[in-house]
Amino acid sequence: MSIYARTLSVTEYRSFPSFELDLARGVTVLVGHNAVGKTNLVEALQLLTSGRSFRKPSPRELVRAGGTRCSMKLTLEGEGRVIDMGCVVEDGKRSFMRNGKRCRAAGVRGVVPSVLFCPDDLDLVKRGARLRREALDGFGIQLNESYAQLASTYERTVEQRNSLLKEPFCTRDLLDAWNDSIASTGAALTVHRLALLSRIREHLIDMYAGLSGGEAVDVSYVPSWGASDAITLPAAADASSRADRIEAVRARIAAALDARAGEELRRGITLVGPHRDEVAFTIDGRDARTFASQGQQRSLVLAWKIAEVEVTREILGRPPLLLLDDVMSELDETRRQAFLGLVGGGVQTVITTTNLGYFDDSALKRAKVVKIGGDSR
Ligand SMILES: Nc1ncnc2c1ncn2[C@@H]1O[C@H](COP(=O)(O)OP(=O)(O)OP(=O)(O)O)[C@@H](O)[C@H]1O
Ligand SMILES: [Mg+2]
C-alpha cells in the first residue's frame, strides 16, 4: 500500500485551540459553515506535505490569536513506514520537524506531495504570469529537490541583483559580476521547468479535450531572453544531453542580460531570466489569456490540476494528496463529475465544502464526512 496521510493534529494553530483529523484513505469531505476553519486545515495539510502554504503567511499568522506558540503534525503511513511531519512556530520563527527532529522545509516536502485546487486558481489563465510560474515551480519543487534548490538560489540571486540595481552607485561592471550566476542558475532552472511542463502538457491536452468535447489546448514556455517565439518543449523521453540544453539556455540568458544592461540600470530591475518567463496557453490556436471564456478557463485549470496528479504518479509511482478547497461550488456538473471521477481513481483527497448538496449519494457513501465547527447543512 502506498504511503498516505493518516492523521493531522494541530495545537494553537490559527482558529483551533486543538484539533485532530483522521483522514480516509480515499475521500474525506470537510463540511461546515463559513469561517469554521476548513481552509485552515487544508493549509496545514499543504504546509506539512509541500513545505509551503498558498496563503504565504508570516509565522505569527499561523499562531492562534493571543498565543505565542503553535504546532502541527501530520502522520504519514504506508510502505511499511510511519513518518511524522511537523511544523512549530515559536518566538515568531517557523521550523519543520521530521520524526521529531528539526529539519528544513525539504525534510517534510515530497514524501506525499500535494496538489491544491482552490478558488484563487481559477484565475490561473488570465492573471499575471507570476501565478503560472508559481504553479509550475510550486509543483516541481515537490518532485525534485534539485529543482527546489535551484528555484530558491535563483530567487535570492535576483533579489540581490535587484537591490544592487537600485543603488545609485551601481555600474555596468558591478552588474556584470552577477550575470554569470543569473545565467547559469537561471538556465538550470529553465531546463527543469521545460522538462516538467512537457510532462504536464501531454496530460493537459488529453484531459482538456475530454472536458471540452474536443477543443485543442496547448501550452508553451515563452522565455524572457529575446526569442520572439515560444521555445519547443523537449519530449518527455528526450535524453539529449541536459548539460547541452543548459549551456544553450545559459548563453541566451547571458547575451540578453548583456544587451539589456542599460535598460536594467535605468529601470532598477533584472529584466531577463526565469522570473520574467511566461507559461502561455492556447485554445484552438488562440491565446487563452485574451480569448478564453470563463468556462474554458475553468476547464483548463481543472485539466492542469489533473495533469499534476498524473505527472506525480508517473514520476513517483504514487499519487499525490489532492486538496480541493471550496471548488465544488465553482464547477458545473460536468466538471464536478470529471473531478469526482478522478477521485474514484485511488487518489487520497480532502474536499472542503459548505454544502453536501454538491455530492451525489454514491460519492458521499464512499467518502468520510467530517463536520467542522458543529452543525452544518
Ligand atoms: N492566527 C489566527 N488566530 C485566530 N483566528 C484565525 C487565525 N488565522 C485565521 N483565523 C480565523 O480562522 C477563521 C476560519 O478561516 P478559514 O479560512 O479556515 O474558514 P473556512 O471554514 O474555510 O471558511 P469559508 O467557508 O468561508 O471558506 C477565520 O474567521 C479567521 O479569522
Ligand atoms: Mg475556506
Side-chain angles (χ1 to χ4, degrees):
M1 188 178 28
S2 81
I3 195 154
Y4 74 105
R6 198 190 61 196
T7 309
L8 171 71
S9 14
V10 299
T11 307
E12 293 294 324
Y13 162 70
R14 291 220 184 253
S15 50
F16 296 97
S18 89
F19 194 79
E20 189 162 302
L21 174 67
D22 280 326
L23 297 169
R25 189 75 186 79
V27 181
T28 305
V29 178
L30 307 181
V31 60
H33 294 300
N34 295 125
V36 292
K38 302 181 297 298
T39 302
N40 294 344
L41 293 173
V42 166
E43 181 185 23
L45 288 169
Q46 190 194 32
L47 199 59
L48 294 171
T49 48
S50 72
R52 58 196 273 280
S53 151
F54 71 105
R55 284 168 159 168
K56 301 183 181 158
S58 68
R60 282 186 204 285
E61 282 169 328
L62 297 172
V63 180
R64 189 162 168 261
T68 54
R69 180 185 195 278
C70 81
S71 66
M72 288 156 257
K73 187 175 85 172
L74 180 65
T75 304
L76 307 177
E77 188 180 308
E79 298 173 354
R81 298 187 281 172
V82 175
I83 308 176
D84 282 338
M85 301 302 193
C87 178
V88 174
V89 176
E90 234 165 359
D91 301 326
K93 289 203 187 88
R94 188 179 74 179
S95 25
F96 288 100
M97 326 273 279
R98 180 160 169 161
N99 288 334
K101 276 201 193 128
R102 209 171 273 255
C103 63
R104 291 169 179 269
V108 302
R109 187 163 56 211
V111 177
V112 173
S114 55
V115 170
L116 170 71
F117 186 12
C118 64
D120 281 356
D121 292 322
L122 293 166
D123 294 334
L124 186 73
V125 178
K126 288 251 164 165
R127 273 175 42 195
R130 176 191 294 271
L131 219 65
R132 290 180 291 284
R133 287 191 297 264
E134 281 181 359
L136 189 61
D137 289 345
F139 180 49
I141 66 172
Q142 295 189 70
L143 300 179
N144 184 315
E145 198 40 41
S146 123
Y147 192 140
Q149 280 172 16
L150 281 165
S152 119
T153 308
Y154 181 77
E155 192 180 325
R156 268 200 317 276
T157 311
V158 171
E159 270 168 24
Q160 287 165 347
R161 192 172 184 273
N162 281 346
S163 307
L164 175 66
L165 271 162
K166 288 187 176 55
E167 295 292 347
F169 59 77
C170 180
T171 61
R172 175 101 197 225
D173 282 348
L174 283 172
L175 203 57
D176 284 353
W178 283 91
N179 289 7
D180 274 354
S181 43
I182 292 276
S184 53
T185 320
L189 176 59
T190 306
V191 167
H192 268 300
R193 280 185 178 172
L194 293 173
L196 183 63
L197 190 60
S198 166
R199 282 180 182 267
I200 291 177
R201 177 177 175 269
E202 286 179 11
H203 295 284
L204 182 79
I205 289 173
D206 287 349
M207 296 298 166
Y208 186 86
L211 284 168
S212 69
E215 285 171 352
V217 77
D218 210 344
V219 59
S220 56
Y221 192 82
V222 188
S224 54
W225 24 269
S228 54
D229 285 317
I231 48 179
T232 319
L233 294 174
D238 182 1
S240 75
S241 162
R242 226 179 97 74
D244 287 352
R245 276 186 279 144
I246 294 176
E247 175 48 28
V249 175
R250 192 205 59 74
R252 300 291 295 272
I253 296 177
L257 283 169
D258 202 40
R260 298 185 72 181
E263 191 186 351
E264 288 190 326
L265 282 163
R266 253 192 333 277
R267 293 176 56 185
I269 45 166
T270 301
L271 293 169
V272 179
H275 66 294
R276 305 279 289 191
D277 293 351
E278 168 69 293
V279 173
F281 299 102
T282 56
I283 296 173
D284 284 340
R286 297 209 290 187
D287 179 5
R289 203 168 172 199
T290 41
F291 283 105
S293 71
Q294 287 281 10
Q296 286 173 320
Q297 289 176 56
R298 274 159 200 239
S299 294
L300 228 168
V301 177
L302 200 60
W304 175 281
K305 297 291 173 181
I306 300 175
E308 285 191 2
V309 172
E310 294 308 319
V311 170
T312 307
R313 263 201 246 259
E314 225 170 72
I315 293 181
L316 299 184
R318 54 178 185 265
L321 171 63
L322 183 59
L323 304 171
L324 307 180
D325 186 30
D326 214 13
V327 285
M328 287 298 130
S329 57
E330 304 282 345
L331 302 175
D332 63 20
E333 191 54 28
T334 318
R335 296 186 183 97
R336 252 201 313 271
Q337 288 309 326
F339 233 152
L340 293 176
L342 173 83
V343 163
V347 182
Q348 188 182 20
T349 306
V350 177
I351 310 179
T352 73
T353 187
T354 50
N355 184 353
L356 290 177
Y358 293 119
F359 302 83
D360 61 34
D361 284 349
S362 73
L364 282 179
K365 243 182 223 140
R366 279 181 278 125
K368 169 174 180 167
V369 178
V370 180
K371 286 181 181 167
I372 310 289
D375 281 351
S376 298
R377 275 160 285 172

